[in-house]
Amino acid sequence: MIIQLDKNISEKNKKAITDKMSSLKFKPTEVLTQKGDYLIGTGKADFDIRDLGQMAGIQDIHMVSDDYQLVSRKWKVDYTTIDLGDGVKVGANDFAIMAGPCSIESEEQIVKVIDHLKANNVKIMRGGVYKPRSSPYSFRGLGIDGLKLWHQHAKAAGIKIITEVMQVSQIAEMYDYIDMYQVGARNTQNFNLLDELGKVDKPVLIKRGISGTIEELLYSAEYVFSGGNERLLLCERGIRTYEKASRNTMDLNAIPILKEKTHLPIIADPSHGIGIRHHVEPITLASIMAGADGVIFETHEIPEKAYSDGQQTLNFRESDNMIARIRKTLELRESF
């Protein structure tokens, strides 16, 4: 059960509502976000919803059977749009293209990627300054100094930044230099990190776990929402299966299923989803036709010289061509 409270509800009325919920054998939990004040009721008892709905201080009430209540589409029919400022939005009627290298490597690289994005009217740049690598001997990013340098150039160019946060201590130090936090596949169930991201007023993109289910991804988003941050996006990036022909198995099924289950924007990551450069484009276009609200992919001037994930990274010419086809595919989708 989700109860939306009036903006200026009195403490007396709020207590009366929580007492009534308890009497109906529902445990009340208050969730205060950037956009509203909610009471989440967990319980199984049957009751007449009018017993609660008519009480003073209640704006609306919804019965939601899913355990992930706040991210469920059962109470919020309209899809959520995430506003990054300066006219850059993601979700509903605002399809987003996010592109950039796997790792931020140097100032020269930053400038070249930004120039490439500007030439294609792409407003969001991805890149890693803290890199979770399978081998401890691989390049692991330039850290906060690299982020500050990246932010300086991106801000001057009107480009928004999305980058991965790996631990709680990085949230505050990154805050002034990013527009969107990314929770990587290895941290999707790092609940301490998710709890802390619920306390910040910046969008958070959560990637599906390496072997995670759709339900587990929704639970991860519920952690952040229930912590107070409802500016959330979900990302399908492929899952680990027994198949060895590709890096991961891109679960295109997940996109329409998530669109049915949640009001949050759904982003597709074809680079990690298949992990093979010349197959990234068809998976991208298929993701769009499956209903994705945006794509996030890797591009580098010379992928063969990239510090990480060169095998799945498009060069600038390939990226130019794919962005043009993305826009043609969107036109086709909108004509249906």
Side-chain angles (χ1 to χ4, degrees):
M1 172 171 48
I2 299 175
I3 297 175
Q4 293 175 271
L5 300 175
D6 288 340
K7 186 175 181 181
N8 298 312
I9 186 172
S10 68
E11 288 301 317
K12 178 181 177 182
N13 285 341
K14 188 182 293 185
K15 185 177 187 305
I17 295 168
T18 57
D19 287 347
K20 181 66 174 179
M21 292 172 71
S22 297
S23 73
L24 293 169
K25 295 183 169 46
F26 277 80
K27 176 186 175 183
T29 301
E30 184 173 9
V31 174
L32 183 63
T33 75
Q34 308 103 326
K35 298 182 180 180
D37 192 354
Y38 308 93
L39 286 173
I40 310 304
T42 51
K44 299 295 183 182
D46 291 327
F47 70 98
D48 188 336
I49 197 170
R50 291 171 295 183
D51 290 345
L52 270 173
Q54 63 188 1
M55 295 183 71
I58 292 181
Q59 184 181 122
D60 208 348
I61 184 169
H62 311 267
M63 296 305 295
V64 179
S65 57
D66 299 325
D67 288 335
Y68 44 87
Q69 297 198 42
L70 289 162
V71 304
S72 173
R73 201 166 167 229
K74 290 181 179 177
W75 76 278
K76 190 173 181 181
V77 176
D78 293 335
Y79 288 113
T80 293
T81 296
I82 306 299
D83 191 343
L84 299 179
D86 302 317
V88 182
K89 298 179 180 180
V90 186
N93 298 318
D94 297 284
F95 188 89
I97 300 174
M98 311 177 195
C102 177
S103 301
I104 298 299
E105 301 167 359
S106 66
E107 183 172 15
E108 179 184 13
Q109 178 219 36
I110 292 168
V111 171
K112 287 182 176 179
V113 173
I114 286 176
D115 287 345
H116 168 65
L117 299 184
K118 287 177 64 179
N120 285 282
N121 195 29
V122 172
K123 301 293 187 180
I124 306 173
M125 180 173 168
R126 60 139 295 139
V129 293
Y130 295 108
K131 296 300 299 178
R133 306 302 300 279
S134 297
S135 169
Y137 309 113
S138 300
F139 176 69
R140 298 170 72 183
L142 296 179
I144 192 65
D145 291 335
L147 179 58
K148 290 177 180 178
L149 183 64
W150 178 14
H151 172 263
Q152 175 186 330
H153 287 283
K155 185 176 182 181
I159 299 288
K160 303 298 182 181
I161 288 176
I162 174 172
T163 193
E164 182 170 356
V165 58
M166 291 177 55
Q167 57 192 45
V168 170
S169 63
Q170 294 168 352
I171 296 174
E173 69 175 7
M174 295 171 71
Y175 185 88
D176 291 333
Y177 307 104
I178 62 130
D179 299 284
M180 191 187 308
Y181 292 99
Q182 174 186 301
V183 176
R186 291 174 175 83
N187 270 318
T188 297
Q189 291 186 307
N190 180 342
F191 299 118
N192 290 333
L193 180 63
L194 299 176
D195 279 337
E196 291 302 312
L197 287 169
K199 300 174 184 177
V200 300
D201 187 19
K202 289 243 172 146
V204 178
L205 179 145
I206 305 175
K207 288 196 168 186
R208 186 173 176 182
I210 291 173
S211 299
T213 65
I214 290 172
E215 186 176 65
E216 286 169 337
L217 176 58
L218 291 165
Y219 277 129
S220 295
E222 189 79 7
Y223 262 88
V224 180
F225 202 135
S226 66
N229 185 359
E230 55 181 286
R231 301 177 70 192
L232 292 168
L233 307 90
L234 304 180
C235 181
E236 168 55 44
R237 47 80 69 196
I239 52 175
R240 179 176 292 164
T241 67
Y242 53 78
E243 183 55 66
K244 300 298 183 182
S246 57
R247 177 174 180 174
N248 294 297
T249 297
M250 183 68 173
D251 186 6
L252 291 175
N253 295 339
I255 296 172
I257 290 172
L258 284 167
K259 294 289 290 184
E260 182 180 53
K261 288 182 175 292
T262 182
H263 55 86
L264 301 177
I266 310 303
I267 308 300
D269 178 353
S271 298
H272 288 88
I274 194 161
I276 303 169
R277 184 189 307 168
H278 64 273
H279 291 321
V280 167
E281 182 179 307
I283 295 301
T284 299
L285 303 184
S287 299
I288 293 169
M289 296 309 292
D293 298 297
V295 294
I296 182 168
F297 68 91
E298 294 179 352
T299 184
H300 189 288
E301 183 186 22
I302 308 174
E304 293 79 8
K305 294 184 178 181
Y307 289 6
S308 55
D309 282 355
Q311 79 285 349
Q312 64 189 35
T313 301
L314 306 185
N315 62 38
F316 288 167
R317 178 184 55 80
E318 292 166 332
S319 178
D320 288 337
N321 292 337
M322 188 172 82
I323 291 169
R325 292 188 180 111
I326 285 172
R327 291 181 171 135
K328 288 182 179 179
T329 304
L330 284 169
E331 291 176 4
L332 176 62
R333 187 175 80 174
E334 290 166 5
S335 70
F336 286 171

